[in-house]
Amino acid sequence: MPEPKNFFIKTFGCQMNVYDSDKMKDIFLANNIQPTEDSFNADYIVLNTCHIREKATEKTFSDLGKIHKKGKKDQKVIVAGCVAQAEGELIQKRAPYVDLVIGPQSIQSLNTFLKKDDISKAAITEFDAIEKFDTLNLIKRNHNSKSAFVTIQEGCDKFCHFCVVPYTRGAEYSRSVYELVDEVKALVDLGVVEFTLLGQNVNAYHGADAAGQPHTLASLINTISEIGGVERITYSTSHPINMTDDLIQLHGSNDKLMPYLHLPVQSGSDNVLKLMNRKHTRDYYFEIIEKVRKAKPDIALSSDFIIGFPGETDQDFEDTLDLIQRVKYMNSYSFKYSPRPGTPAANKELISDEILDERLARTQALLNEQQMEYNKKFIQKTVQVLIDGAGKHEGQVKGKSEFNQSVALQGEKQIIGQIIPVQIKEVLTHSLLGERA
Ligand code: 5AD
Ligand code: SF4
């Protein structure tokens, strides 16, 4: 009997890449290839790459160099994800030992590759989301945690001037309601209770039902929430202009929808929003936040900010800080602007690193302060925590509250997978400590 083969996948970037890596794992398992932690001795190594910010391509080549040097003889090297999409040809030229280059809409080609082992090394970077999901739907699903990502929508038609996504993930595509219901049911059968619905523009979802009628995200969430066994639903990432009233109202009326919303604004300055081609103003964003808070007063809000977009003046930056002060976030992510090849802003004059560093530090200090303030209000309060694993310290378990906070507590491993009430006792910078209530 030949030794069974094994694989190792390294994932970079967003939750959508995590979902794609899970699907590639399913493909390997369906082909009787088992996971290993030993990357250099794996028969197959996959880099599932991200292209959203900074030196992504260089990082990929440096990882590939290491793999080429240290990887075992005959190791098959696969580059997937957004760098594969954007730089497929360059990868084949600079790293000819790479066996397969597959873009995010072509991960199903991995199945063909494993079966035949002789498909061309050429980059497979078609934008065929239909074929992707049709093929993936036929592969047996595996899942061993209580929460799961489900990609419901891919791609983007908005073309913000800083962003590679329309080029790496292609045009907007929504999966149909019935295939998503099937996927959720299959995951419930595997024990999943919490679902994060994913899309680069998730609230632009407009998938069809069996009769061909389009559904909104709100309608899809209602449908999924009625599936027995589904306890919690959340969605990410949204665009302010697709925050329709039905979706906003759902936050007040559907108990399974977690009281958490990630709604990136990117900048608090109308000038910069315009330069970014965001298609909304700061006042429009405030209006949406007000409506959301009216529907669900205790909702936890989060955002992304790009600091130092070309043309951002001191006053523009102060407007961003002012927006943060007004909204009061539970947590947020902020990034220095990074020019992305091929995007409309790629060749604009950059703001100096010194200014960028200072602005980013001020933004992060304010966001951290807000996170602390937000979390402190929870002391002595009880939240519902989905326990998802062992904590850092002996005898501890950890999980996520319905507000998407990380919570740790003393507890037996047997409660992993349960949703339990936890009274909050202490607030650390990025997590909470509590006791079972
Ligand atoms: N530079 C810096 N940050 C970026 N993002 C997207 N493109 C860029 C870029 N070119 C950030 C945005 C987005 C998040 C996923 O990454 O804030 O919401
Ligand atoms: Fe990175 Fe965007 Fe691709 Fe996700 S979709 S992996 S964030 S470039």
Side-chain angles (χ1 to χ4, degrees):
M1 283 272 282
E3 281 274 300
K5 293 201 164 170
N6 54 31
F7 70 92
F8 179 88
I9 304 178
K10 187 166 174 189
T11 309
F12 301 86
C14 65
Q15 296 169 331
M16 314 234 350
N17 262 19
V18 175
Y19 177 87
D20 285 345
S21 287
D22 278 351
K23 295 287 143 189
M24 288 192 269
K25 183 173 163 199
D26 287 346
I27 294 175
F28 278 116
L29 293 173
N31 284 281
N32 249 327
I33 301 169
Q34 302 304 316
T36 172
E37 293 297 310
D38 185 356
S39 61
F40 295 125
N41 280 312
D43 296 293
Y44 295 90
I45 182 163
V46 182
L47 295 182
N48 194 7
T49 58
C50 171
H51 204 224
I52 198 97
R53 284 178 295 270
E54 314 219 65
K55 309 196 178 78
T57 308
E58 282 320 305
K59 173 110 197 38
T60 303
F61 281 115
S62 128
D63 279 348
L64 282 174
K66 269 187 223 144
I67 291 168
H68 190 46
K69 208 157 132 205
K70 296 194 188 159
K72 73 169 199 175
K73 193 169 161 274
D74 295 335
Q75 184 176 47
K76 300 272 184 222
V77 183
I78 297 152
V79 184
C82 295
V83 177
Q85 184 70 41
E87 307 282 11
E89 279 175 24
L90 187 68
I91 293 171
Q92 289 167 78
K93 220 191 272 155
R94 271 182 62 183
Y97 48 86
V98 169
D99 294 281
L100 184 67
V101 181
I102 40 176
Q105 304 294 13
S106 308
I107 56 172
Q108 71 282 5
S109 317
L110 177 62
N111 200 34
T112 323
F113 177 73
L114 296 179
K115 293 222 172 336
K116 295 204 197 128
D117 229 358
D118 67 348
I119 60 171
S120 133
K121 287 182 170 200
I124 303 170
T125 48
E126 319 260 295
F127 280 128
D128 197 344
I130 299 181
E131 192 195 322
K132 169 177 172 179
F133 289 109
D134 281 354
T135 311
L136 294 178
N137 287 341
L138 300 175
I139 305 261
K140 182 173 175 288
R141 295 189 171 90
N142 301 274
H143 204 81
N144 56 12
S145 101
K146 293 282 163 179
S147 58
F149 295 134
V150 176
T151 292
I152 66 164
Q153 179 278 331
E154 286 214 48
C156 179
D157 296 342
K158 298 230 168 41
F159 292 92
C160 296
H161 283 178
F162 50 80
C163 188
V164 284
V165 167
Y167 314 97
T168 58
R169 293 262 175 180
E172 247 180 42
Y173 166 77
S174 297
R175 296 176 68 195
S176 66
V177 175
Y178 49 92
E179 72 172 306
L180 291 169
V181 166
D182 282 353
E183 181 158 338
V184 169
K185 282 185 177 160
L187 288 165
V188 167
D189 288 344
L190 293 170
V192 177
V193 297
E194 182 186 87
F195 291 86
T196 303
L197 309 182
L198 297 180
Q200 267 100 18
N201 253 289
V202 75
N203 56 345
Y205 177 82
H206 57 266
D209 61 17
Q213 289 303 314
H215 283 237
T216 60
L217 176 61
S219 148
L220 177 73
I221 292 172
N222 273 332
T223 305
I224 290 178
S225 69
E226 281 160 15
I227 298 172
V230 173
E231 305 272 352
R232 288 175 160 190
I233 303 172
T234 182
Y235 58 93
S236 186
T237 288
S238 298
H239 193 290
I241 60 168
N242 297 112
M243 267 332 277
T244 47
D245 281 338
D246 60 340
L247 184 58
I248 294 175
Q249 294 317 320
L250 200 67
H251 279 279
S253 62
N254 189 319
D255 310 337
K256 302 235 169 120
L257 190 52
M258 291 164 74
Y260 168 78
L261 174 65
H262 181 62
L263 189 63
V265 64
Q266 312 297 358
S267 168
S269 147
D270 279 340
N271 298 332
V272 175
L273 289 171
K274 201 156 183 202
L275 291 173
M276 287 177 165
N277 191 31
R278 284 289 290 175
K279 306 180 172 73
H280 64 84
T281 59
R282 111 195 209 109
D283 279 347
Y284 183 80
Y285 186 80
F286 287 137
E287 254 172 59
I288 297 289
I289 296 293
E290 205 179 306
K291 282 197 209 165
V292 170
R293 282 209 163 115
K294 207 161 159 209
K296 187 75 187 162
D298 63 348
I299 197 160
L301 294 171
S302 127
S303 175
D304 292 339
F305 296 91
I306 295 181
I307 304 304
F309 186 77
E312 181 186 86
T313 62
D314 284 342
Q315 183 55 51
D316 293 326
F317 173 65
E318 295 301 329
D319 288 350
T320 295
L321 294 183
D322 178 71
L323 178 140
I324 297 173
Q325 292 282 17
R326 279 179 60 177
V327 175
K328 304 216 178 332
Y329 290 100
M330 166 247 185
N331 76 342
S332 285
Y333 306 89
S334 49
F335 314 100
K336 282 196 246 180
Y337 170 70
S338 154
R340 304 285 71 213
T343 58
N347 299 321
K348 295 264 160 57
E349 195 182 331
L350 296 178
I351 292 177
S352 77
D353 257 343
E354 210 183 335
I355 296 180
L356 235 59
D357 286 341
E358 198 236 7
R359 288 184 186 168
L360 186 71
R362 284 179 66 196
T363 312
Q364 292 186 337
L366 178 58
L367 290 170
N368 284 340
E369 200 181 288
Q370 288 197 344
Q371 184 167 17
M372 204 62 177
E373 262 169 47
Y374 179 89
N375 283 334
K376 273 192 184 149
K377 293 199 197 111
F378 282 82
I379 289 189
Q380 296 307 337
K381 290 217 176 106
T382 297
V383 290
Q384 304 298 320
V385 180
L386 171 56
I387 307 292
D388 59 18
K392 260 196 215 144
H393 303 288
E394 190 61 31
Q396 247 187 6
V397 288
K398 63 160 185 64
K400 280 266 159 70
S401 77
E402 65 273 46
F403 300 97
N404 208 28
Q405 297 147 309
S406 300
V407 182
L409 62 148
Q410 290 302 114
E412 301 292 321
K413 292 225 169 67
Q414 285 91 300
I415 62 171
I416 293 175
Q418 294 177 20
I419 297 178
I420 59 162
V422 174
Q423 191 178 39
I424 301 304
K425 296 290 179 192
E426 202 182 321
V427 172
L428 310 174
T429 320
H430 295 291
S431 63
L432 305 171
L433 291 179
E435 281 172 10
R436 192 170 181 161

